Amino acid sequence: VARATSGLLFNADTAAANTLDDYEEGTWTPVLSDGTNADATYTSQVGTYTKIGNKVHVQGRVQLSALGTMSGALKISTLPFTSQGITNNFSTINITYALGFAVTAGNSVGGYIQNVATNAHLRIWNVATGDSGFTAAMLSADGQFMFSAEYTTD
């Protein structure tokens, strides 16, 4: 490992573009929104992130005590960094644990982060009908879930 003037280079690499010049850990507050309304009440609202170079890993948990006026397709907003601006360079978000979802057995919930965004769109997948937005009607007033995602930032 070599020390560059503004970061770390590995082996005999000297290319400035390959310099590891950013590492950060922190917390953030995930907020559910339908794109217009973001007035849910939370019992728990926790997010952490690690940023290494231009790669961001986020994880968190939200637990509601009231849905507020949300009604449409839900997003997790306030991601800690804006996603990279490459057209069609989407990343995925995984829902790894959930309670209080009003969905048909066999459906799965996940999502995506599109380019130049600070939110993750939540989606539901059904083998018969395909992909659609995960709406507030599919989440109970005391619903909760854990999630993780990795995406690229500029």
Side-chain angles (χ1 to χ4, degrees):
V1 177
R3 174 88 172 124
T5 58
S6 62
L8 297 175
L9 291 167
F10 296 91
N11 300 320
D13 197 342
T14 59
N18 296 336
T19 302
L20 177 58
D21 57 2
D22 189 15
Y23 179 89
E24 185 177 335
E25 296 177 354
T27 61
W28 61 287
T29 304
V31 174
L32 290 179
S33 167
D34 66 5
T36 302
N37 303 301
D39 58 351
T41 305
Y42 298 88
T43 301
S44 180
Q45 197 177 9
V46 179
T48 60
Y49 70 87
T50 302
K51 181 176 182 286
I52 302 172
N54 67 349
K55 301 297 181 194
V56 180
H57 171 81
V58 294
Q59 63 188 46
R61 177 176 179 243
V62 292
Q63 180 177 7
L64 301 175
S65 57
L67 285 169
T69 58
M70 293 186 303
S71 62
L74 296 178
K75 303 174 185 180
I76 299 174
S77 59
T78 68
L79 291 174
F81 300 94
T82 301
S83 61
Q84 193 172 47
I86 297 174
T87 303
N88 294 321
N89 187 28
F90 290 24
S91 299
T92 59
I93 181 166
N94 301 301
I95 305 297
T96 56
Y97 171 83
L99 289 174
F101 279 19
V103 298
T104 304
N107 288 349
S108 61
V109 178
Y112 66 89
I113 302 166
Q114 65 189 60
N115 59 307
V116 193
T118 56
N119 55 58
H121 298 265
L122 298 181
R123 307 295 290 176
I124 187 165
W125 171 257
N126 177 292
V127 71
T129 59
D131 171 79
S132 61
F134 180 76
T135 66
M138 298 172 182
L139 181 62
S140 68
D142 62 349
Q144 63 178 294
F145 61 92
M146 290 181 240
F147 61 90
S148 65
E150 293 188 5
Y151 64 99
T152 305
T153 187
D154 286 324

